[in-house]
Protein backbone atom coordinates (compact mmCIF):
# COMPACT_ATOMS: atom_id res chain seq x y z
CA UNK A 1 0.00 0.00 0.00
CA UNK A 2 1.31 3.41 -0.90
CA UNK A 3 1.85 6.01 1.77
CA UNK A 4 -1.09 8.36 2.31
CA UNK A 5 -3.57 6.06 0.55
CA UNK A 6 -6.72 4.45 1.85
CA UNK A 7 -6.76 0.69 2.33
CA UNK A 8 -8.45 -1.13 -0.52
CA UNK A 9 -11.44 -3.37 0.06
CA UNK A 10 -12.18 -6.54 -1.78
CA UNK A 11 -14.97 -5.65 -4.20
CA UNK A 12 -16.62 -9.02 -3.60
CA UNK A 13 -17.07 -8.25 0.07
CA UNK A 14 -18.54 -4.84 -0.64
CA UNK A 15 -20.85 -6.21 -3.34
CA UNK A 16 -21.93 -9.01 -1.01
CA UNK A 17 -22.97 -6.52 1.63
CA UNK A 18 -24.87 -4.44 -0.89
CA UNK A 19 -26.73 -7.53 -2.10
CA UNK A 20 -27.52 -8.63 1.45
CA UNK A 21 -28.98 -5.25 2.35
CA UNK A 22 -30.92 -4.83 -0.88
CA UNK A 23 -32.70 -8.21 -1.04
CA UNK A 24 -35.51 -7.34 1.36
CA UNK A 25 -37.93 -5.76 -1.08
CA UNK A 26 -37.46 -8.27 -3.95
CA UNK A 27 -37.76 -11.18 -1.52
CA UNK A 28 -40.95 -9.73 -0.02
CA UNK A 29 -42.37 -9.20 -3.52
CA UNK A 30 -41.62 -12.78 -4.54
CA UNK A 31 -43.06 -14.17 -1.33
CA UNK A 32 -46.19 -12.07 -1.80
CA UNK A 33 -46.64 -13.44 -5.32
CA UNK A 34 -46.33 -17.03 -4.11
CA UNK A 35 -48.71 -16.54 -1.17
CA UNK A 36 -51.25 -14.54 -3.17
CA UNK A 37 -51.36 -17.12 -5.97
CA UNK A 38 -51.79 -20.25 -3.87
CA UNK A 39 -54.91 -22.09 -5.01
CA UNK A 40 -57.96 -22.56 -2.81
CA UNK A 41 -56.89 -26.19 -2.32
CA UNK A 42 -53.55 -25.06 -0.84
CA UNK A 43 -51.40 -26.11 -3.77
CA UNK A 44 -49.84 -24.38 -6.73
CA UNK A 45 -49.82 -24.89 -10.46
CA UNK A 46 -47.54 -23.61 -13.20
CA UNK A 47 -47.63 -19.89 -13.92
CA UNK A 48 -48.96 -19.38 -10.37
CA UNK A 49 -52.53 -19.90 -11.56
CA UNK A 50 -54.49 -19.55 -8.33
CA UNK A 51 -57.70 -20.61 -10.08
CA UNK A 52 -56.29 -24.05 -10.87
CA UNK A 53 -56.92 -27.00 -8.59
CA UNK A 54 -54.35 -29.18 -10.36
CA UNK A 55 -51.90 -28.99 -7.43
CA UNK A 56 -48.63 -29.78 -9.17
CA UNK A 57 -46.23 -31.03 -6.51
CA UNK A 58 -43.14 -30.49 -8.66
CA UNK A 59 -44.00 -26.78 -8.76
CA UNK A 60 -45.32 -26.67 -5.19
CA UNK A 61 -42.01 -28.01 -3.89
CA UNK A 62 -40.31 -24.81 -5.02
CA UNK A 63 -43.10 -22.63 -3.63
CA UNK A 64 -42.88 -24.41 -0.26
CA UNK A 65 -39.11 -23.86 -0.17
CA UNK A 66 -39.77 -20.15 -0.70
CA UNK A 67 -42.31 -20.10 2.13
CA UNK A 68 -39.80 -21.72 4.47
CA UNK A 69 -36.99 -19.40 3.36
CA UNK A 70 -39.22 -16.35 3.82
CA UNK A 71 -40.21 -17.44 7.30
CA UNK A 72 -36.61 -18.21 8.29
CA UNK A 73 -35.48 -14.84 6.90
CA UNK A 74 -38.03 -13.05 9.05
CA UNK A 75 -40.18 -11.80 6.17
CA UNK A 76 -43.63 -10.83 7.36
CA UNK A 77 -46.20 -11.25 4.62
CA UNK A 78 -49.57 -11.22 6.39
CA UNK A 79 -50.69 -14.46 4.72
CA UNK A 80 -47.49 -16.45 5.23
CA UNK A 81 -48.62 -18.68 8.11
CA UNK A 82 -52.00 -19.29 6.48
CA UNK A 83 -50.24 -20.31 3.25
CA UNK A 84 -48.02 -22.72 5.19
CA UNK A 85 -51.06 -24.29 6.90
CA UNK A 86 -52.89 -24.61 3.58
CA UNK A 87 -49.82 -26.21 1.97
CA UNK A 88 -49.59 -28.84 4.72
CA UNK A 89 -53.28 -29.65 4.35
CA UNK A 90 -52.92 -29.90 0.58
CA UNK A 91 -49.96 -32.23 0.89
CA UNK A 92 -51.95 -34.47 3.25
CA UNK A 93 -55.25 -34.44 1.39
CA UNK A 94 -54.29 -34.10 -2.26
CA UNK A 95 -50.59 -34.80 -2.79
CA UNK A 96 -50.25 -37.86 -0.58
CA UNK A 97 -50.53 -41.39 -1.90
CA UNK A 98 -50.47 -44.49 0.28
CA UNK A 99 -48.61 -46.46 -2.36
CA UNK A 100 -46.56 -43.68 -3.93
CA UNK A 101 -45.62 -41.48 -1.00
CA UNK A 102 -46.38 -38.20 -2.75
CA UNK A 103 -47.39 -37.85 -6.36
CA UNK A 104 -47.04 -35.33 -9.16
CA UNK A 105 -50.74 -34.44 -9.09
CA UNK A 106 -53.61 -35.72 -6.91
CA UNK A 107 -54.74 -39.33 -7.34
CA UNK A 108 -58.12 -40.90 -6.70
CA UNK A 109 -58.62 -41.74 -3.01
CA UNK A 110 -55.00 -40.85 -2.26
CA UNK A 111 -53.77 -44.06 -3.78
CA UNK A 112 -51.77 -44.88 -6.86
CA UNK A 113 -49.22 -42.93 -8.75
CA UNK A 114 -45.53 -43.63 -8.61
CA UNK A 115 -42.84 -42.66 -6.14
CA UNK A 116 -41.35 -39.95 -8.37
CA UNK A 117 -42.10 -37.08 -6.00
CA UNK A 118 -42.05 -38.92 -2.68
CA UNK A 119 -38.83 -37.10 -1.79
CA UNK A 120 -40.26 -33.69 -2.65
CA UNK A 121 -43.33 -34.34 -0.51
CA UNK A 122 -41.33 -35.67 2.43
CA UNK A 123 -38.92 -32.72 2.28
CA UNK A 124 -41.80 -30.25 1.96
CA UNK A 125 -43.44 -31.73 5.04
CA UNK A 126 -40.11 -31.43 6.88
CA UNK A 127 -39.69 -27.80 5.79
CA UNK A 128 -43.18 -27.02 7.05
CA UNK A 129 -42.61 -28.61 10.45
CA UNK A 130 -44.37 -31.92 9.78
CA UNK A 131 -41.49 -34.26 9.01
CA UNK A 132 -42.64 -36.88 11.50
CA UNK A 133 -46.26 -36.95 10.34
CA UNK A 134 -47.44 -40.35 9.02
CA UNK A 135 -47.56 -39.09 5.41
CA UNK A 136 -43.91 -37.99 5.48
CA UNK A 137 -42.77 -41.19 7.19
CA UNK A 138 -44.68 -43.31 4.68
CA UNK A 139 -43.02 -41.44 1.83
CA UNK A 140 -39.62 -42.28 3.32
CA UNK A 141 -40.62 -45.96 3.54
CA UNK A 142 -41.88 -45.94 -0.07
CA UNK A 143 -38.58 -44.54 -1.31
Amino acid sequence: MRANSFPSFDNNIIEGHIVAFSCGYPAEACLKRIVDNQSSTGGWDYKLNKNSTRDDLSFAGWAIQALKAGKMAGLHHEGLQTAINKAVNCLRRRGYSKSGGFTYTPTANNNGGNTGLAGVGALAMQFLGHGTDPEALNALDVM
Side-chain angles (χ1 to χ4, degrees):
M1 183 165 71
R2 291 186 344 219
N4 299 325
S5 68
F6 292 102
S8 67
F9 292 94
D10 181 352
N11 284 340
N12 292 330
I13 293 172
I14 293 171
E15 289 172 13
H17 287 290
I18 291 169
V19 169
F21 289 115
S22 65
C23 287
Y25 175 76
E28 288 274 0
C30 289
L31 187 62
K32 178 182 180 349
R33 186 164 184 229
I34 290 166
V35 169
D36 290 351
N37 287 288
Q38 186 178 31
S39 74
S40 62
T41 58
W44 289 267
D45 198 3
Y46 286 101
K47 298 183 182 179
L48 292 172
N49 179 2
K50 70 180 179 182
N51 297 316
S52 174
T53 57
R54 186 169 166 269
D55 298 334
D56 184 309
L57 185 54
S58 66
F59 188 89
W62 294 109
I64 289 167
Q65 287 184 60
L67 295 179
K68 175 67 173 185
K71 185 172 182 172
M72 300 254 334
L75 301 181
H76 300 289
H77 185 279
E78 72 178 61
L80 179 58
Q81 190 57 52
T82 299
I84 288 171
N85 296 341
K86 285 173 62 178
V88 170
N89 288 330
C90 183
L91 286 165
R92 287 182 179 146
R93 291 182 290 106
R94 298 182 50 81
Y96 174 68
S97 167
K98 295 174 190 112
S99 63
F102 288 93
T103 59
Y104 185 62
T105 55
T107 58
N109 301 316
N110 290 91
N111 206 5
N114 60 44
T115 60
L117 290 173
V120 172
L123 183 62
M125 292 290 282
Q126 177 67 38
F127 279 163
L128 300 176
H130 294 270
T132 58
D133 287 9
E135 297 86 356
L137 296 176
N138 180 64
L140 295 174
D141 288 341
V142 167
M143 287 189 286

